[in-house]
Amino acid sequence: MIERYKADSAWTIELSNPLNIGLDPVLDPFEPYAFYIGDGWGSSFPSMKLRKLSLLDGAEIASAYVKSPVRCLHFEPDGGKLMAAGDNKWFGIDRRTMQVEVKYEEKIAKYCDFISSDGFGNYVAMNYRTGWLNIYDTNSRIGRKRKLGSCGGIVPADASTFLIFLPLEGQVAHYDLAQEAVIRLRRFSTFKQALISRTGKIYLWLGRRALQANTNAFVDPVDKMVIYDNLDAETGLEIDLPANVVRFFLANDDERIYFAMKDRLVEYSIRLRKAVKEYAFANGFQIITCFSNLGKVLLGSREDRYKTISLAEIV
């Protein structure tokens, strides 16, 4: 029998600007109790910031004026700088002080949803649907691009190669930055969302390719997931998803998956092959993201367009 809980709120705050739900809140990899959010729709452009908040109480630690919605972030491995990609500009920001040190405007990837780097000033970035893989050298400020496909994530594989998830095509591309070439292309089924665990397992929430009225392709999800032990695995473990899932999150142990509905979170045991816990949250609040390794869920109020956010704790 599934255990049901009403998750308690650790804190609730009202932001000065509404939350940008287009930027998934990101934990600081060097400060375990700090996370980043951006200002979103309903904010005046001159007031828009990237904000670092405390997980402990929601207080703002520091912020950077970017005057633009931020779409994605990348942290340099030395912990000194983060790159924030806006609609039409990129911002090199000191991670500790949140001061904008440099702006990039020419030959960058605009409206990118995913960004990563080799740690030496070379960035790879993509928009979900435009199909272009963009390479940008911040040292020379030279950009180039090649046609690849849709994008659902960019994950560093080693010093100069990246795994690029192509959901509409149902593929994972292994891209070598030094060779400027795809050195391997693994074909799966069309998928809605893909995550790779710390141990290298591939989690694919499957879907069907569909078309909108304006002929833009999108993935219509199905209630099924396949878990592959690695990219070389020919077959994987299939599991059925609960109804009305909007996204999923991984635990650190490769034993649990968290499936998010709009206002509920279901913990699924891979070993038992069933849902074991369900968490409900305060009325009017919607799940923004789940920091599953910390047992915390960030919520936003639909009533004021996510200007009020809350942190709930799950056991």
Side-chain angles (χ1 to χ4, degrees), residues 49-230:
K49 291 182 176 183
L50 176 68
R51 303 176 191 270
K52 181 194 287 190
L53 305 185
S54 169
L55 272 176
L56 300 177
D57 56 11
E60 185 172 299
I61 299 170
S63 60
Y65 268 114
V66 291
K67 302 179 181 179
S68 166
V70 173
R71 301 174 68 91
C72 50
L73 300 176
H74 176 75
F75 297 87
E76 289 301 312
D78 64 1
K81 188 176 78 171
L82 67 87
M83 185 71 81
D87 286 347
N88 298 294
K89 297 178 183 178
W90 290 9
F91 305 88
I93 299 172
D94 184 294
R95 186 192 61 82
R96 300 176 183 89
T97 66
M98 292 297 287
Q99 294 298 307
V100 176
E101 296 182 331
V102 60
K103 298 178 185 178
Y104 304 94
E105 299 182 55
E106 300 295 329
K107 299 182 180 179
I108 60 167
K110 297 182 179 181
Y111 302 100
C112 60
D113 299 310
F114 305 96
I115 188 171
S116 191
S117 170
D118 65 355
F120 297 99
N122 298 296
Y123 285 80
V124 293
M126 293 187 72
N127 175 272
Y128 172 79
R129 68 170 67 251
T130 59
W132 291 100
L133 170 63
N134 299 269
I135 311 299
Y136 185 74
D137 184 342
T138 58
N139 301 303
S140 64
R141 300 208 176 198
I142 293 176
R144 54 200 184 278
K145 62 183 181 180
R146 60 160 291 173
K147 198 71 174 177
L148 186 60
S150 61
C151 184
I154 303 175
V155 180
D158 55 37
S160 65
T161 65
F162 301 85
L163 297 179
I164 302 175
F165 293 90
L166 314 176
L168 286 168
E169 296 77 10
Q171 300 172 346
V172 179
H174 199 164
Y175 182 80
D176 189 303
L177 188 59
Q179 298 182 40
E180 296 190 16
V182 173
I183 57 176
R184 184 186 178 196
L185 193 66
R186 173 66 200 275
R187 299 181 185 278
F188 295 98
S189 299
T190 299
F191 53 86
K192 175 68 174 178
Q193 183 188 353
L195 292 177
I196 183 168
S197 73
R198 292 184 176 183
T199 61
K201 289 189 175 183
I202 309 293
Y203 293 73
L204 298 180
W205 175 15
L206 302 184
R208 303 184 186 92
R209 187 182 177 97
L211 291 176
Q212 294 174 324
N214 60 3
T215 72
N216 284 332
F218 71 100
V219 176
D220 185 23
V222 299
D223 294 336
K224 189 173 290 295
M225 172 178 286
V226 182
I227 306 171
Y228 295 89
D229 285 339
N230 51 59

Side-chain angles (χ1 to χ4, degrees), residues 16-17 39 41 98 227 247 250 253:
S16 53
N17 278 333
D39 293 345
W41 190 87
M98 292 297 287
I227 306 171
R247 63 184 300 194
L250 300 180
D253 53 16

Side-chain angles (χ1 to χ4, degrees), residues 265-278:
L265 188 74
V266 170
E267 180 182 319
Y268 184 94
S269 168
I270 298 174
R271 181 178 60 85
L272 298 176
R273 301 284 296 273
K274 67 177 184 178
V276 293
K277 296 179 182 179
E278 180 180 289

